[in-house]
Amino acid sequence: MTPEKLKVAVIGTGMIARAGHVPAWKNLSDRVEVVGVAGTDRERTDEFARTEGIPQAYTDWQKMLTRTKPDIVSVTSPNSYHREHTVAALEAGAHVWCEKPAATCHADAAEMFEMAQKKGRQVFICQTLRFANEVRAAKELVEAGRFDEAVASHQQA
């Protein structure tokens, strides 16, 4: 028995949605289906949906969440809307892939992660360098306590 595909909805029709999120989801087409896209400009959103083969285009992102009932929402809207779109997607029962930065202030980001925990969902902040070798090496040094040692010896000097 083949598991049902996860439904993905995208909020935002800008460059990062076109060049990053939608192509990435399409590369996983055996497991996910992009079911809707929401943008503020009707003509641009319709064109985006048509060229990307997305069945539903919306200018009201809240209606998209209600009608498509996505499992995952890609939030690619301007940074100032990340909290609002992420919290609403979590409240709708979806996991969220949110473009960086998470929010415009710490309080908004904290609210996003608190809502995810409350709803038993995940928020993943898209950071393309997260898996770069240099970043992974730095993470390993931090986890091994090597920076703590360096800071302590520097403070004693």
Side-chain angles (χ1 to χ4, degrees):
M1 179 169 155
T2 305
E4 193 172 312
K5 289 183 178 185
L6 296 172
K7 295 185 294 184
V8 176
V10 180
I11 300 176
T13 59
M15 185 277 299
I16 197 63
R18 291 176 185 267
H21 287 249
V22 171
W25 291 123
K26 285 179 156 185
N27 283 335
L28 300 171
S29 63
D30 59 324
R31 292 178 272 172
V32 302
E33 177 185 5
V34 181
V35 296
V37 61
T40 55
D41 180 271
R42 169 53 65 197
E43 192 173 308
R44 178 183 171 119
T45 304
D46 286 346
E47 181 271 334
F48 183 95
R50 186 178 59 259
T51 59
E52 295 298 334
I54 300 171
Q56 298 292 316
Y58 296 87
T59 55
D60 183 330
W61 58 270
Q62 293 164 315
K63 282 184 182 175
M64 180 183 68
L65 294 177
T66 301
R67 292 179 181 169
T68 63
K69 298 182 181 6
D71 300 297
I72 302 168
V73 173
S74 275
V75 174
T76 68
S77 54
N79 305 341
S80 60
Y81 296 101
H82 285 183
R83 184 204 56 78
E84 179 182 8
H85 293 159
T86 296
V87 169
L90 292 164
E91 287 177 332
H95 299 284
V96 175
W97 269 239
C98 182
E99 196 47 53
K100 65 177 178 12
T104 56
C105 67
H106 178 268
D108 286 356
E111 182 182 348
M112 292 161 60
F113 285 95
E114 288 166 8
M115 180 60 72
Q117 185 173 20
K118 178 181 173 184
K119 294 294 184 176
R121 295 289 177 257
Q122 297 294 315
V123 171
F124 181 82
I125 305 304
C126 302
Q127 172 48 271
T128 56
L129 296 177
R130 176 174 296 172
F131 302 108
N133 289 336
E134 298 85 355
V135 174
R136 292 173 119 177
K139 182 178 186 287
E140 290 173 12
L141 290 171
V142 169
E143 289 174 344
R146 299 289 301 278
F147 283 114
D148 295 339
E149 295 167 14
V151 169
S153 69
H154 177 72
Q155 288 174 342
Q156 292 174 358

